[in-house]
Amino acid sequence: FVMSGVYFKNKLKLALIGQSLFGQEVYSHLRKEGHRVVGVFTVPDKDGKADPLALAAEKDGTPVFKLPKWRVKGKTIKEVAEAYRSVGADLNVLPFCTQFIPMDIIDSPKHGSIIYHPSILPRHRGASAINWTLIMGDKKAGFSVFWADDGLDTGPILLQRSCDVEPNDTVDALYNRFLFPEGIKAMVEAVQLIADGKAPRIPQPEEGATYEGIQKKENAEISWDQSAEVLHNWIRGHDKVPGAWTEINGQMVTFYGSTLLNSSVPPGEPLEIKGAKKPGLVTKNGLVLFGNDGKALMVRNLQFEDGKMIPASQYFSAGEMSVVELTAEEVKVAETIKVIWAGILSNVPIIEDSTDFFKSGASSMDVARQKCGGLQLQNEDIYMATKFEDFIQKVVKKLRGEDQEAELVVDYVSKEVNEMMVKMPYQCFINGQFTDADDGKTYDTINPTDGSTICKVSYASLADVDKAVAAAKDAFENGEWGIMNARERGRLMYRLADLLEENQEELATIEALDSGAVYTLALKTHIGMSVQTFRYFAGWCDKIQGSTIPINQARPNRNLTFTKKEPLGVCAIIIPWNYPLMMLAWKSAACLAAGNTLVLKPAQVTPLTALKFAELSVKAGFPKGVINIIPGSGGIAGQRLSEHPDIRKLGFTGSTPIGKQIMKSCAVSNLKKVSLELGGKSPLIIFNDCELDKAVRMGMGAVFFNKGENCIAAGRLFVEESIHDEFVTRVVEEIKKMKIGDPLDRSTDHGPQNHKAHLEKLLQYCETGVKEGATLVYGGRQVQRPGFFMEPTVFTDVEDHMYLAKEESFGPIMVISKFQNGDIDGVLQRANNTEYGLASGVFTRDINKAMYVSEKLEAGTVFINTYNKTDVAAPFGGVKQSGFGKDLGEEALNEYLKTKTVTLEY
């Protein structure tokens, strides 16, 4: 918690009266601010365990008093009063205090007492304030720090803070997101205001005051003749204590984990519920319930009278759970768990099969202490099986892997290469499973280093595309992904980034095999930037915000207009073959961060890292259907994606002609949103006042980086006449030092071109250049060795009308044109004389010239005295026929979001 940073000289002697982790944090932060805590008054140890506030105070040597009560028959206990007064406090601070403190103690210090209350007083006075905030459907939640009174929550207000209540907020969500962290800061701020003599005392009004008592289980029964929203508020307001319940098949069943269902109702099996006019539906995602307004909600978990909790989706199969016989090793695990339970449940003499974890005095914090057999148990594992015998069954099944929804089955192609065993999926990945193409077709993916077949890959059909889109649509509208909060979405993306990094050597090896990328470059750029991209966008998940807008209306202007940023739905992504995994990451990370689901088609010639990515997404915990990968051809799978009526956005990187066709299909089908990163002919202007060594080094990188298979590669170099010859000489000298060879060899500088057809295109490109009269200074031939290797090539004397000057090679071909000394505007006119506008560059020591040139160049990116320096935070995209829309940076998120404007009158 970061406080104001202002040093206050006024400090107080404080008595803290309260308990819990909240009390502990308030205690610690007050001490950090320089206040002296002279005494802590908390509750007695429970089952031999001290309260967190007591533990922290005892560790610091602060006097701790553990008092079961403060008064008897309305009178203060004398010994308690004496103990309290012995510390000599200036102020009592009561963070979440649940005991009744006598008024003579409240009023005893010079500054009196302040207390934290989790509501915006005077609304929801009483002990269950957070619950009632949700039960009553309040749109605002918050807390008050007030001057303590005799326990009625009616004392004057010192300060208040509020927050919005989200439609699916729970008590825990509100507490963790706002009431806990902001409450701690507010308590510290309130104490300092008192120390500085600036603390207000604002009387509580009677208007708007409510008082609701603590909810009891018997009063928490659901009344069904209400709207879905009211039912949802009732259920979430009672979650986890005391739990909203109803009668099903003659048994009390408690509901947990309620969310409003804003999408279509998924198919399911009817379940009769006493008092409900319409049966519920047990679906694969949970139990769907209906309000009297025809709208629906869904609950995730059910608890029965015996305390057993199950996923609501398993209601009809709950009674069929088999009891497994334990092996000798599993019996040892059970004995280990019994010892752990005995340590936690110190008040229970013997742990028996019927011993209930929570009913015997354990808390949710104790769950984390249960690590056994290599498993770290979570809260839900205990909630679903609170009795010892049931819990052992659950742990054993978890150890065996039997409790998993459906284990991912991967039929790998394995190869011993690069001093490791590389395991490569090769099937379509649809709805969380690897599967053959619907018609069984496959194709060969080729290793460009030697022309050999790596493996046969599923060739997706139209039916496969439709299945993938249907899975993505269901995941968005009915699945867990559609209702997942943004931070949980970010957590999954961070986990996926970690898995990419953990498997970076294998991924880089696959990239080298499938695309010909030099391994060292693949490790750093292809994989390294993919990891960075997912981490960057994971951080954006919970920072996507709309805005409030003042609107001009007739007086009185009682209007509120605001915007919301919402995901589009199912998005299609089509990526190229030059950076297979990195291009996947650039588009899919932004797409997922925005909350969409996706169907991705990798390039036909480089599908393998995308399919490995799919496997890692399952390990990261992404729900089924969120990510779907369909290898195959652009003419079949890609065209179907651009035409599909259920896809709301298509992101494409590739050639300009294909981009135009995609844009046309997207418009005709359903006017889906499109972003296109297309061809380029990026100019690089090198002036005679440049740092020549750097210009040579960077100029070579601008052309030969990643074998020239680089969308922003410098397609044409303009070199000022006075340094032209020396520049060319130096470039050729450096090319001769480059090692051409196996991309898995750590000393290799230049690997094979991606595939045979591309190599043949490049050789034809060079033949055309020679025929048109350009000077071939170096290279231009295929390297005489197996595979698709081409010599780094240099052309000079390239005139503006030539094919080489106009068309992109997308290979290791440096095209150099000379321009007259000092002719800045002339070279700019030549550089801009192209229909492309992806990237550009300029080398000069003159900053004024550099800025002038960067202003005049018609390109989405301008590099000055550098090249190829992209970053995940910097937007990337072109102009003119290089396309539109951005990858990377905050702007990329907007490509996968829609803006909704909401106006209300009050």
Side-chain angles (χ1 to χ4, degrees):
F1 298 99
V2 179
M3 306 309 294
S4 64
V6 179
Y7 177 76
F8 298 96
K9 64 180 180 180
N10 303 315
K11 302 298 173 185
L12 299 176
K13 293 186 294 181
L14 307 174
L16 254 70
I17 306 173
Q19 68 279 323
S20 78
L21 185 61
F22 184 85
Q24 175 192 324
E25 289 292 325
V26 171
Y27 164 82
S28 299
H29 283 84
L30 285 170
R31 281 171 48 87
K32 286 178 184 177
E33 288 295 302
H35 299 286
R36 181 184 171 197
V37 180
V38 293
V40 164
F41 298 83
T42 187
V43 295
D45 295 353
K46 182 180 180 181
D47 301 325
K49 294 189 297 183
D51 182 83
L53 173 58
L55 287 172
E58 288 170 345
K59 183 179 179 181
D60 294 331
T62 302
V64 177
F65 304 86
K66 301 177 181 180
L67 307 174
K69 52 188 174 181
W70 288 75
R71 58 189 182 185
V72 175
K73 295 181 180 180
K75 293 186 177 181
T76 307
I77 300 172
K78 181 179 178 182
E79 293 80 4
V80 170
E82 289 175 353
Y84 166 77
R85 292 191 175 92
S86 69
V87 302
D90 299 325
L91 173 70
N92 292 331
V93 179
L94 287 70
F96 254 141
C97 178
T98 59
Q99 294 176 314
F100 287 101
I101 311 300
M103 285 306 296
D104 55 337
I105 301 296
I106 292 291
D107 295 335
S108 179
K110 175 173 62 174
H111 295 294
S113 303
I114 59 169
I115 186 169
Y116 173 95
H117 185 78
S119 84
I120 309 172
L121 292 171
R123 186 161 172 79
H124 303 311
R125 294 171 178 167
S128 295
I130 309 177
N131 304 73
W132 285 105
T133 295
L134 295 177
I135 292 169
M136 302 302 289
D138 293 354
K139 302 304 181 187
K140 288 283 185 182
F143 57 81
S144 305
V145 179
F146 71 100
W147 298 93
D149 57 0
D150 57 359
L152 298 177
D153 304 341
T154 57
I157 302 296
L158 195 160
L159 60 81
Q160 293 181 318
R161 299 285 186 270
S162 65
C163 69
D164 293 330
V165 178
E166 299 297 328
N168 291 315
D169 269 340
T170 62
V171 170
D172 286 348
L174 278 176
Y175 183 70
N176 294 328
R177 183 178 81 238
F178 186 80
L179 300 177
F180 182 87
E182 295 301 321
I184 293 165
K185 290 192 279 189
M187 287 297 284
V188 177
E189 181 183 345
V191 170
Q192 194 60 58
L193 287 171
I194 295 169
D196 295 337
K198 298 178 181 178
R201 290 177 180 264
I202 305 168
Q204 287 192 43
E206 285 302 312
E207 183 180 356
T210 62
Y211 182 88
E212 303 95 355
I214 298 175
Q215 270 296 75
K216 305 290 186 183
K217 189 72 175 181
E218 57 267 25
N219 298 326
E221 183 177 6
I222 300 168
S223 176
W224 288 102
D225 192 18
Q226 302 180 88
S227 69
E229 183 176 2
V230 172
L231 294 174
H232 165 64
N233 289 337
W234 184 262
I235 295 169
R236 67 172 175 154
H238 288 86
D239 188 348
K240 301 259 193 281
V241 178
W245 62 275
T246 192
E247 187 177 316
I248 302 177
N249 293 328
Q251 183 176 186
M252 178 192 287
V253 178
T254 304
F255 293 162
Y256 297 105
S258 174
T259 53
L260 288 170
L261 193 63
N262 295 318
S263 56
S264 58
V265 176
E269 191 171 349
L271 177 64
E272 294 293 335
I273 300 172
K274 184 181 178 181
K277 294 182 179 180
K278 185 176 181 179
L281 277 180
V282 177
T283 75
K284 64 179 181 179
N285 299 316
L287 174 60
V288 176
L289 306 168
F290 298 93
N292 61 12
D293 56 354
K295 296 182 179 179
L297 61 145
M298 181 181 289
V299 294
R300 297 289 177 184
N301 299 316
L302 306 176
Q303 187 174 39
F304 299 103
E305 291 179 6
D306 62 359
K308 183 178 182 180
M309 185 182 286
I310 65 166
S313 59
Q314 297 178 9
Y315 179 83
F316 288 114
S317 59
E320 303 170 8
M321 295 177 67
S322 59
V323 177
V324 299
E325 292 293 328
L326 273 59
T327 65
E329 284 299 316
E330 290 164 349
V331 169
K332 291 180 182 178
V333 171
E335 291 301 319
T336 300
I337 295 173
K338 185 173 284 189
V339 171
I340 294 171
W341 277 41
I344 295 169
L345 307 175
S346 54
N347 58 321
V348 177
I350 300 174
I351 304 298
E352 300 175 333
D353 285 348
S354 60
T355 301
D356 188 287
F357 188 73
F358 292 116
K359 290 181 179 178
S360 299
S363 68
S364 59
M365 287 189 296
D366 294 315
V367 176
R369 297 165 64 178
Q370 303 200 56
K371 184 173 184 178
C372 49
L375 288 178
Q376 177 64 61
L377 283 306
Q378 306 298 325
N379 282 353
E380 291 303 317
D381 295 318
I382 308 293
Y383 286 131
M384 297 296 181
T386 59
K387 290 183 180 178
F388 184 74
E389 62 178 340
D390 295 334
F391 182 63
I392 292 301
Q393 289 285 313
K394 186 167 187 65
V395 169
V396 168
K397 290 178 181 179
K398 202 175 183 76
L399 285 169
R400 294 180 182 181
E402 295 175 5
D403 70 332
Q404 297 175 7
E405 284 187 14
E407 185 177 354
L408 180 67
V409 178
V410 188
D411 189 11
Y412 297 107
V413 169
S414 299
K415 288 187 180 294
E416 183 74 38
V417 62
N418 200 23
E419 299 180 356
M420 69 180 75
M421 179 61 74
V422 176
K423 300 169 72 175
M424 296 170 286
Y426 61 87
Q427 297 166 294
C428 300
F429 182 75
I430 299 172
N431 202 27
Q433 296 294 325
F434 284 104
T435 180
D436 289 336
D438 185 73
D439 56 10
K441 287 186 178 179
T442 62
Y443 70 95
D444 294 342
T445 186
I446 304 299
N447 182 346
T449 300
D450 57 14
S452 64
T453 298
I454 302 170
C455 63
K456 291 186 177 297
V457 178
S458 292
Y459 190 82
S461 66
L462 295 179
D464 296 308
V465 177
D466 290 347
K467 287 178 188 176
V469 174
K473 187 171 188 284
D474 185 61
F476 182 79
E477 294 182 351
N478 304 314
E480 180 186 352
W481 185 256
I483 59 174
M484 185 180 292
N485 69 62
R487 288 183 187 171
E488 179 65 12
R489 194 162 67 241
R491 186 189 68 80
L492 291 179
M493 292 184 65
Y494 277 123
R495 175 63 182 142
L496 181 52
D498 291 343
L499 286 168
L500 291 171
E501 188 169 51
E502 289 169 19
N503 293 272
Q504 61 183 336
E505 287 86 1
E506 184 178 19
L507 287 164
T509 302
I510 296 172
E511 202 86 316
L513 287 175
D514 205 23
S515 77
V518 173
Y519 175 78
T520 50
L521 176 65
L523 198 63
K524 179 182 178 182
T525 302
H526 290 231
I527 315 305
M529 197 170 188
S530 300
V531 173
Q532 291 179 34
T533 303
F534 268 92
R535 288 202 174 123
Y536 174 82
F537 283 107
W540 267 111
C541 287
D542 61 354
K543 299 170 187 68
I544 299 170
Q545 300 177 353
S547 58
T548 56
I549 303 169
I551 62 173
N552 189 16
Q553 297 288 344
R555 296 183 182 181
N557 187 1
R558 297 195 180 94
N559 298 283
L560 172 63
T561 296
F562 61 92
T563 59
K564 296 173 64 181
K565 297 286 188 179
E566 298 178 341
L568 297 167
V570 181
C571 296
I573 292 172
I574 301 175
I575 57 174
W577 42 257
N578 58 328
Y579 295 100
L581 187 65
M582 193 176 83
M583 290 294 99
L584 177 153
W586 278 25
K587 293 191 186 304
S588 63
C591 173
L592 294 168
N596 303 287
T597 55
L598 68 90
V599 179
L600 182 140
K601 194 199 86 65
Q604 183 172 344
V605 292
T606 54
L608 297 181
T609 46
L611 294 170
K612 191 69 179 180
F613 167 85
E615 178 192 351
L616 296 178
S617 74
V618 175
K619 292 182 179 180
F622 277 79
K624 291 180 179 180
V626 173
I627 295 171
N628 303 273
I629 310 290
I630 48 168
S633 73
I636 296 174
Q639 184 63 27
R640 178 57 178 156
L641 289 173
S642 65
E643 294 171 346
H644 204 292
D646 288 334
I647 290 174
R648 296 300 170 191
K649 159 71 195 282
L650 191 145
F652 172 76
T653 295
S655 72
T656 296
I658 299 299
K660 289 178 178 180
Q661 177 60 41
I662 283 175
M663 189 173 177
K664 180 180 179 180
S665 298
C666 288
V668 171
S669 58
N670 63 342
L671 209 63
K672 58 177 64 70
K673 190 174 181 180
V674 184
S675 59
L676 303 172
E677 194 249 284
L678 307 176
K681 188 65 176 173
S682 302
L684 173 58
I685 303 173
I686 300 174
F687 289 99
N688 60 16
D689 59 355
C690 70
E691 185 182 333
L692 191 57
D693 288 341
K694 185 176 183 181
V696 169
R697 186 175 68 254
M698 289 285 186
M700 290 187 64
V703 175
F704 302 124
F705 187 81
N706 199 50
K707 310 165 292 171
E709 296 169 352
N710 188 21
C711 53
I712 58 171
R716 190 179 182 193
L717 277 66
F718 295 92
V719 182
E720 200 159 6
E721 189 173 21
S722 59
I723 61 168
H724 175 274
D725 292 348
E726 184 178 358
F727 179 86
V728 173
T729 299
R730 290 199 188 188
V731 165
V732 172
E733 288 173 355
E734 293 301 316
I735 289 176
K736 290 176 180 178
K737 299 175 186 177
M738 293 171 64
K739 179 179 177 180
I740 302 172
D742 184 349
L744 291 173
D745 186 334
R746 302 303 192 273
S747 63
T748 294
D749 299 304
H750 189 78
Q753 304 310 134
N754 188 275
H755 51 281
K756 185 178 181 180
H758 184 56
L759 172 64
E760 291 172 349
K761 174 191 164 188
L762 294 175
L763 295 173
Q764 182 62 48
Y765 187 92
C766 292
E767 287 181 18
T768 301
V770 171
K771 288 178 182 177
E772 287 193 329
T775 301
L776 177 60
V777 176
Y778 190 87
R781 299 182 299 269
Q782 181 176 355
V783 178
Q784 295 306 303
R785 57 172 293 161
F788 312 137
F789 291 85
M790 180 175 179
E791 295 175 336
T793 299
V794 178
F795 276 99
T796 61
D797 302 318
V798 178
E799 298 178 11
D800 294 355
H801 64 86
M802 293 180 178
Y803 182 81
L804 270 62
K806 295 179 178 181
E807 296 300 324
E808 180 181 28
S809 71
F810 211 66
I813 302 172
M814 183 177 285
V815 175
I816 302 176
S817 296
K818 188 186 301 183
F819 71 95
Q820 292 180 359
N821 294 332
D823 187 12
I824 299 174
D825 289 325
V827 75
L828 277 170
Q829 184 177 0
R830 296 172 69 191
N832 288 329
N833 186 24
T834 172
E835 276 301 303
Y836 298 110
L838 188 57
S840 59
V842 55
F843 278 83
T844 175
R845 285 191 176 96
D846 186 337
I847 187 62
N848 293 322
K849 186 191 298 182
M851 295 308 295
Y852 176 78
V853 170
S854 69
E855 190 176 289
K856 296 295 182 180
L857 283 169
E858 297 169 358
T861 297
V862 180
F863 298 108
I864 300 176
N865 293 329
T866 187
Y867 209 89
N868 282 327
K869 188 167 284 187
T870 55
D871 186 85
V872 293
F876 179 90
V879 297
K880 299 194 286 189
Q881 290 197 43
S882 287
F884 51 83
K886 295 292 184 182
D887 291 323
L888 304 179
E890 182 181 0
E891 286 194 38
L893 285 170
N894 294 324
E895 301 294 334
Y896 294 93
L897 290 165
K898 59 186 177 185
T899 300
K900 178 182 287 182
T901 301
V902 180
T903 298
L904 62 90
E905 184 174 289
Y906 56 91

